[in-house]
PDB file of all heavy atoms in Angstrom:
ATOM      1  N   SER A 675     -58.869  16.871 -11.652  1.00  0.00           N
ATOM      2  CA  SER A 675     -58.869  17.735 -10.477  1.00  0.00           C
ATOM      3  C   SER A 675     -58.280  19.052 -10.823  1.00  0.00           C
ATOM      4  O   SER A 675     -57.560  19.289 -11.886  1.00  0.00           O
ATOM      5  CB  SER A 675     -58.106  17.230  -9.285  1.00  0.00           C
ATOM      6  OG  SER A 675     -56.724  17.095  -9.514  1.00  0.00           O
ATOM      7  N   ALA A 676     -58.480  20.115  -9.990  1.00  0.00           N
ATOM      8  CA  ALA A 676     -57.874  21.436 -10.282  1.00  0.00           C
ATOM      9  C   ALA A 676     -56.334  21.416 -10.320  1.00  0.00           C
ATOM     10  O   ALA A 676     -55.722  21.998 -11.093  1.00  0.00           O
ATOM     11  CB  ALA A 676     -58.303  22.438  -9.122  1.00  0.00           C
ATOM     12  N   ASP A 677     -55.784  20.549  -9.370  1.00  0.00           N
ATOM     13  CA  ASP A 677     -54.311  20.507  -9.276  1.00  0.00           C
ATOM     14  C   ASP A 677     -53.706  19.857 -10.554  1.00  0.00           C
ATOM     15  O   ASP A 677     -52.551  20.094 -10.930  1.00  0.00           O
ATOM     16  CB  ASP A 677     -53.886  19.821  -8.080  1.00  0.00           C
ATOM     17  CG  ASP A 677     -53.994  20.607  -6.883  1.00  0.00           C
ATOM     18  OD1 ASP A 677     -54.225  21.834  -6.983  1.00  0.00           O
ATOM     19  OD2 ASP A 677     -54.151  20.029  -5.752  1.00  0.00           O
ATOM     20  N   SER A 678     -54.519  18.934 -11.201  1.00  0.00           N
ATOM     21  CA  SER A 678     -53.955  18.246 -12.417  1.00  0.00           C
ATOM     22  C   SER A 678     -53.839  19.116 -13.531  1.00  0.00           C
ATOM     23  O   SER A 678     -53.001  18.747 -14.527  1.00  0.00           O
ATOM     24  CB  SER A 678     -54.886  17.092 -12.764  1.00  0.00           C
ATOM     25  OG  SER A 678     -56.114  17.670 -13.269  1.00  0.00           O
ATOM     26  N   THR A 679     -54.415  20.290 -13.605  1.00  0.00           N
ATOM     27  CA  THR A 679     -54.216  21.268 -14.777  1.00  0.00           C
ATOM     28  C   THR A 679     -53.361  22.395 -14.371  1.00  0.00           C
ATOM     29  O   THR A 679     -53.141  23.289 -15.173  1.00  0.00           O
ATOM     30  CB  THR A 679     -55.666  21.758 -15.139  1.00  0.00           C
ATOM     31  OG1 THR A 679     -56.236  22.478 -14.074  1.00  0.00           O
ATOM     32  CG2 THR A 679     -56.567  20.595 -15.657  1.00  0.00           C
ATOM     33  N   LYS A 680     -52.874  22.368 -13.213  1.00  0.00           N
ATOM     34  CA  LYS A 680     -52.053  23.492 -12.723  1.00  0.00           C
ATOM     35  C   LYS A 680     -50.546  23.193 -12.993  1.00  0.00           C
ATOM     36  O   LYS A 680     -50.054  22.210 -12.563  1.00  0.00           O
ATOM     37  CB  LYS A 680     -52.201  23.737 -11.246  1.00  0.00           C
ATOM     38  CG  LYS A 680     -51.368  24.920 -10.729  1.00  0.00           C
ATOM     39  CD  LYS A 680     -51.598  25.061  -9.234  1.00  0.00           C
ATOM     40  CE  LYS A 680     -50.707  26.290  -8.659  1.00  0.00           C
ATOM     41  NZ  LYS A 680     -50.913  26.437  -7.209  1.00  0.00           N
ATOM     42  N   PRO A 681     -49.920  24.083 -13.764  1.00  0.00           N
ATOM     43  CA  PRO A 681     -48.448  23.678 -14.182  1.00  0.00           C
ATOM     44  C   PRO A 681     -47.542  23.885 -13.030  1.00  0.00           C
ATOM     45  O   PRO A 681     -47.784  24.764 -12.155  1.00  0.00           O
ATOM     46  CB  PRO A 681     -48.178  24.697 -15.285  1.00  0.00           C
ATOM     47  CG  PRO A 681     -49.126  25.823 -14.982  1.00  0.00           C
ATOM     48  CD  PRO A 681     -50.404  25.223 -14.465  1.00  0.00           C
ATOM     49  N   LEU A 682     -46.461  23.151 -12.954  1.00  0.00           N
ATOM     50  CA  LEU A 682     -45.452  23.134 -11.986  1.00  0.00           C
ATOM     51  C   LEU A 682     -44.179  23.626 -12.529  1.00  0.00           C
ATOM     52  O   LEU A 682     -43.913  23.306 -13.719  1.00  0.00           O
ATOM     53  CB  LEU A 682     -45.303  21.776 -11.237  1.00  0.00           C
ATOM     54  CG  LEU A 682     -46.562  21.238 -10.576  1.00  0.00           C
ATOM     55  CD1 LEU A 682     -46.238  19.780 -10.098  1.00  0.00           C
ATOM     56  CD2 LEU A 682     -46.982  22.014  -9.414  1.00  0.00           C
ATOM     57  N   PRO A 683     -43.353  24.382 -11.801  1.00  0.00           N
ATOM     58  CA  PRO A 683     -42.106  24.878 -12.431  1.00  0.00           C
ATOM     59  C   PRO A 683     -41.051  23.750 -12.504  1.00  0.00           C
ATOM     60  O   PRO A 683     -41.034  22.808 -11.618  1.00  0.00           O
ATOM     61  CB  PRO A 683     -41.666  25.899 -11.431  1.00  0.00           C
ATOM     62  CG  PRO A 683     -42.238  25.447 -10.047  1.00  0.00           C
ATOM     63  CD  PRO A 683     -43.572  24.841 -10.418  1.00  0.00           C
ATOM     64  N   ILE A 684     -40.222  23.823 -13.561  1.00  0.00           N
ATOM     65  CA  ILE A 684     -39.103  22.959 -13.701  1.00  0.00           C
ATOM     66  C   ILE A 684     -37.807  23.793 -13.460  1.00  0.00           C
ATOM     67  O   ILE A 684     -37.659  24.839 -14.111  1.00  0.00           O
ATOM     68  CB  ILE A 684     -39.001  22.315 -14.993  1.00  0.00           C
ATOM     69  CG1 ILE A 684     -40.211  21.495 -15.336  1.00  0.00           C
ATOM     70  CG2 ILE A 684     -37.749  21.478 -15.181  1.00  0.00           C
ATOM     71  CD1 ILE A 684     -40.436  20.937 -16.693  1.00  0.00           C
ATOM     72  N   PHE A 685     -37.002  23.443 -12.446  1.00  0.00           N
ATOM     73  CA  PHE A 685     -35.932  24.330 -12.078  1.00  0.00           C
ATOM     74  C   PHE A 685     -34.639  23.832 -12.676  1.00  0.00           C
ATOM     75  O   PHE A 685     -34.452  22.548 -12.963  1.00  0.00           O
ATOM     76  CB  PHE A 685     -35.776  24.391 -10.506  1.00  0.00           C
ATOM     77  CG  PHE A 685     -36.949  25.104  -9.930  1.00  0.00           C
ATOM     78  CD1 PHE A 685     -37.815  24.405  -9.143  1.00  0.00           C
ATOM     79  CD2 PHE A 685     -36.971  26.569  -9.960  1.00  0.00           C
ATOM     80  CE1 PHE A 685     -38.873  25.055  -8.489  1.00  0.00           C
ATOM     81  CE2 PHE A 685     -38.005  27.252  -9.409  1.00  0.00           C
ATOM     82  CZ  PHE A 685     -38.924  26.426  -8.512  1.00  0.00           C
ATOM     83  N   THR A 686     -33.701  24.692 -12.835  1.00  0.00           N
ATOM     84  CA  THR A 686     -32.333  24.384 -13.292  1.00  0.00           C
ATOM     85  C   THR A 686     -31.306  25.243 -12.638  1.00  0.00           C
ATOM     86  O   THR A 686     -31.703  26.315 -12.161  1.00  0.00           O
ATOM     87  CB  THR A 686     -32.230  24.449 -14.779  1.00  0.00           C
ATOM     88  OG1 THR A 686     -30.943  23.921 -15.289  1.00  0.00           O
ATOM     89  CG2 THR A 686     -32.244  25.950 -15.269  1.00  0.00           C
TER      90      THR A 686
END
Side-chain angles (χ1 to χ4, degrees):
S675 69
D677 288 341
S678 67
T679 59
K680 183 179 178 180
L682 300 174
I684 299 172
F685 292 108
T686 189

